[in-house]
Each structure stands twice: as C-alpha cells, then as structure tokens.
Amino acid sequence: MRIDINSPIEPSTGTILDDTRIRSHIATIEELSESKLVLLAHQSRPGLEDFTTLEAHSHRLAELLGREVRYVDDVFGRAAREEIFRLRRGEVLMLENVRFCSEEVAEEVKSKPPEIQATTNLVRKLSSYVEAYVNDAFAVAHRSQPSVVAFPMVLPSYAGKLLEREVENLTKVLKSNDKPKVFSFGGAKAKDSLKVMEKLLSKGIADVVLTSGMVANVFLLAQGKDIGEVNLRAMKEKGFDSLVEKAKKLLEKYGEKIQVPIDLAFKRDGSRAEASVDEMPNLMIMDIGIDTIARYSNIIENAAIVAANGPAGVFEIKEFALGSQELLKAMSRCRGFTVIGGGHLAAIAAKQGLREKISFISTGGKAMLLFLAGEKLPGIEVLREARGYD
Ligand code: 3PG
C-alpha cells in the first residue's frame, strides 16, 4: 500500500513534529489487518534537509496502531524482498523512503506514461512479491511517479479509505455551483501555488484568491513594491524572483480577483512590528498585518466555499502565527463549506481547537488544490482506469 506520511521533521534531531498524516492511514491499515501489509512511502525530496529514512515513522505508526510495525532500510533489494517474503498475515512492514531510489525521482522516468514506469526495477521487483496494490496516498496523487502510477498497470489495484474520503469530500467542493469560491494561498511553495492559481482563475473556478506568505511576496514585487533587500535576497536564494513576471501577468489579467496584502508584520528587536506595504522597513517579512487580516477575514466569512493551503506567516514563532490563526478563525465562522490542506494549517487548526469547525481537513496540499482546480490527478486516474470507478 502506498501511503503519504511525509511529515514536518526537525532536521537536527529527526523528530517528527506532527503525525497527522501517519494517523490518517490508520483506518485503511486496520481494514487490511488480515493481510500481509507492505507499506511504501516517501519523506521529503532529495537535497532537502528533512530528506531522511522512515525508521522514526515506522515507530510512530507502531505506537498509534498498538502493534508491531517492522521496518527495513531497503526498498526493493534483497533485504526488502526477504522481509516481504517472511511476512505473516496481520503483520505490517514499512519499506525505506521510496525516494531513495533514483527511478522514483528521475525526470526521465516521471515523464513517461505509467506503462513504461511499470518497467522500472522498483515496480518489477516489488510487484512480483505482492498480490495487490492499494493507493491511500491522496497527498501525492498529483505526482506521476512509479510508486504512485505504475503498480496498477501490473497488479489488481484499489483505492484506500483515506483516498476515497478525500475524493468524496473534495468532489463536493468541485461540483458545487455556490459562489463566491475563495482560495487562500500561503506558505513557501510559491511556484506550485502560482501554477494552481492560474488554473483556478483561467477556468473561472476561483472568484477570489487571497495571497500570503512567500506567494504574497512574489505579488508585492509584481506590484512594484520595495520589499527590502533582506526579503529580496531570501527570494533570490529560493529562485522565486523569476516568478515575478508570471505574477505580473496574472495581476494584469485578473486584477482585483487576486488579493495582495496591504500591510505586513516584521520582527523588530525581537517583537512584532507592522507596516504598510508602501513603507516597508528592510526587515524580514514574518506575517500579514492586521489590516490585511481584517480584509481577508471579511472575504472568507462571506464566502460560500473556502479552500486554504499554506500558513500566512512564520507560524512557528508565536507572534507571527496571528495571521494564520485569524484566517482559520474566519473560516470557522464562515457558514459555507470550508476546506484546509497541507500539514501546517491542519496543525495550527488543531492547536487552536478549530478542527471540528472546519468542514473538511485534507491531507493534501498541492494535490488538494489541483483536484479543486478540476485537474486529473495521475494517481487517481490510473485507479479509475484499472478499476472502472466513476
Ligand atoms: C506533499 O507533502 O505535498 C506530498 O507528500 C508530496 O510531496 P512532494 O511535493 O515532495 O511531491
């Protein structure tokens, strides 16, 4: 079974900071408690600080399940295959981070159709040791990678309970004709966010887009604002300055539909200071300001549908969690259907005791947004074809 337990990790200690995604698969794992269950998953991407083994994940899963979860530091080599062969009914085995295998991450493989990806060593070796494939990994369903799209080419394949629940709930949002539909984009994945935003706007799905976090910085630059040397440098380091042209075009085309912060919060002498976007100090941008919070909250409260992904600021520092907390509170007051995605917002909502007040908490980040933009997700499409689902 492919699961998505990609979790926030403290790089220096390897501690898993939030286990929501691990918990999200418990129901499907329990449903398969009569099987010999092999779990396949990833953590982060090669080159990033939190790209690490799944050993700690397997321990956490064992604690949550209240039974043993075996772990092998191998994906499809002899050690992994021997462990799979030795499994007995009711036992669970977690394989190593599948992105340790070059075939899972190589452009040359990912760009090929699922039938070709099924000829990888990863898929050929593992599929000969198992009888069926279950995909429960909604959060990675937008990636065309062997562990996500190729097994259904060679094995009887099924959707897990979590994947089903995600599709059911998000389909409600997608099919709804209620307006206005508001999408809130925060966090650091500006490139991904811009791509999804463009789809949502060009298809007329989004009535309003709220920007915060790194995404907002890109739009502030596109508006010609002086964001200060320190922020400019941080964006250049991440290669985000190249997104500014795209943001300019989006602003020209969609104008007011894209909301950009009017004020921001900065760290001055260790505490929160605010300024208008027209008079920004040369200090690190840490959050949206209170006028922006008020404006965005008003839009959210009056929406028929709200989907939010990514925090509005550096929420890990208490003073700068305000924007994310207030936008979530506005969602909890909204009478429409509200959805949040991505691990960070879910963690903030849990801390604020707001989980129950959000209509649906998706385990997906980009997968959720793409689904809501009406895009076909490769991991789901291969299952539909394999199983003839609607
Ligand atoms: C996520 O965290 O969004 C999923 O696990 C997918 O991860 P990726 O963006 O590294 O493919």
Side-chain angles (χ1 to χ4, degrees):
M1 176 158 80
R2 176 62 158 104
I3 55 176
D4 189 327
I5 49 174
N6 187 16
S7 306
I9 282 186
E10 168 55 50
S12 55
T13 58
T15 313
I16 296 175
L17 300 172
D18 179 68
D19 62 11
T20 311
R21 279 193 172 162
I22 304 179
R23 288 172 189 272
S24 70
H25 294 289
I26 299 286
T28 322
I29 295 174
E30 295 292 12
E31 194 182 31
L32 295 170
S33 60
E34 301 290 306
S35 310
K36 301 173 180 180
L37 185 59
V38 183
L39 300 175
L40 193 56
H42 72 278
Q43 169 65 43
S44 191
R45 304 175 187 171
L48 299 185
E49 269 186 320
D50 55 351
F51 183 57
T52 180
T53 124
L54 295 183
E55 188 167 8
H57 302 65
S58 70
H59 294 320
R60 187 74 197 107
L61 178 61
E63 280 163 23
L64 293 167
L65 282 173
R67 59 192 165 103
E68 193 192 356
V69 172
R70 291 171 41 188
Y71 156 79
V72 59
D73 64 347
D74 187 20
V75 183
F76 65 81
R78 189 183 294 272
R81 299 198 314 271
E82 276 178 10
E83 283 292 324
I84 297 174
F85 189 70
R86 270 195 230 118
L87 271 182
R88 287 194 302 248
R89 268 176 198 276
E91 287 184 339
V92 181
L93 168 70
M94 190 178 293
L95 301 179
E96 187 51 285
N97 185 345
V98 66
R99 291 188 179 172
F100 283 9
C101 301
S102 56
E103 288 177 326
E104 179 74 357
V105 285
E107 260 332 303
E108 295 82 349
V109 178
K110 294 194 293 183
S111 56
K112 300 269 168 34
E115 310 80 75
I116 306 289
Q117 296 195 33
T119 63
T120 50
N121 293 289
L122 166 71
V123 177
R124 278 193 294 120
K125 297 228 164 156
L126 285 181
S127 59
S128 62
Y129 276 71
V130 298
E131 286 160 278
Y133 171 78
V134 177
N135 188 349
D136 207 28
F138 175 75
V140 74
H142 59 300
R143 302 280 179 217
S144 175
Q145 295 173 342
S147 72
V148 181
V149 300
F151 287 102
M153 302 296 112
V154 290
L155 287 171
S157 296
Y158 308 89
K161 280 170 106 73
L162 173 68
L163 187 81
E164 253 174 15
R165 207 158 59 84
E166 292 271 6
V167 171
E168 267 167 29
N169 275 283
L170 297 178
T171 302
K172 272 190 218 157
V173 178
L174 180 67
K175 297 255 164 91
S176 163
N177 290 323
D178 297 346
K179 278 178 173 294
K181 275 191 189 177
V182 175
F183 288 80
S184 172
F185 289 88
K189 292 183 177 168
K191 193 171 172 202
D192 281 354
S193 296
L194 253 76
K195 266 195 206 153
V196 179
M197 198 183 289
E198 193 173 15
K199 287 185 199 296
L200 288 164
L201 289 163
S202 64
K203 290 184 183 175
I205 296 172
D207 298 303
V208 184
V209 166
L210 307 176
T211 64
S212 58
M214 277 288 186
V215 190
N217 294 359
V218 175
F219 280 97
L220 287 167
L221 276 179
Q223 284 180 331
K225 306 283 184 211
D226 175 7
I227 66 166
E229 195 47 44
V230 51
N231 294 299
L232 204 57
R233 207 176 324 121
M235 288 179 73
K236 278 193 179 143
E237 272 165 21
K238 294 205 159 116
F240 288 166
D241 53 336
S242 60
L243 297 176
V244 175
E245 279 313 306
K246 187 165 186 175
K248 265 189 200 156
K249 289 203 180 101
L250 287 173
L251 283 174
E252 270 163 30
K253 205 160 171 194
Y254 301 106
E256 290 281 288
K257 281 191 169 183
I258 303 173
Q259 290 284 320
V260 183
I262 48 175
D263 62 344
L264 294 162
F266 308 84
K267 193 174 187 176
R268 180 176 280 142
D269 302 329
S271 45
R272 183 178 172 113
E274 302 211 354
S276 143
V277 292
D278 294 315
E279 295 159 353
M280 279 190 267
N282 185 23
L283 294 170
M284 204 69 182
I285 300 171
M286 302 294 275
D287 195 9
I288 49 174
I290 49 166
D291 292 339
T292 308
I293 292 176
R295 180 185 275 198
Y296 286 10
S297 296
N298 187 35
I299 296 172
I300 289 173
E301 275 180 53
N302 294 304
I305 294 203
V306 187
N309 182 41
V314 187
F315 71 97
E316 293 89 341
I317 305 174
K318 207 169 137 239
E319 296 90 326
F320 303 108
L322 188 71
S324 309
Q325 288 167 351
E326 289 303 317
L327 298 191
L328 282 170
K329 281 188 198 157
M331 287 181 79
S332 75
R333 293 192 294 269
C334 170
R335 297 233 177 101
F337 196 84
T338 52
V339 184
I340 60 175
H344 291 138
L345 278 188
I348 303 167
K351 229 173 163 183
Q352 295 281 298
L354 294 174
R355 278 184 70 95
E356 304 306 317
K357 297 197 169 129
I358 305 292
S359 315
F360 180 63
I361 299 184
S362 173
T363 53
K366 191 175 175 196
M368 174 193 87
L369 291 171
L370 284 170
F371 190 94
L372 295 179
E375 290 292 294
K376 292 195 183 314
L377 308 190
I380 296 177
E381 288 315 300
V382 287
L383 285 182
R384 284 193 209 281
E385 280 157 30
R387 299 276 305 147
Y389 285 115
D390 289 334

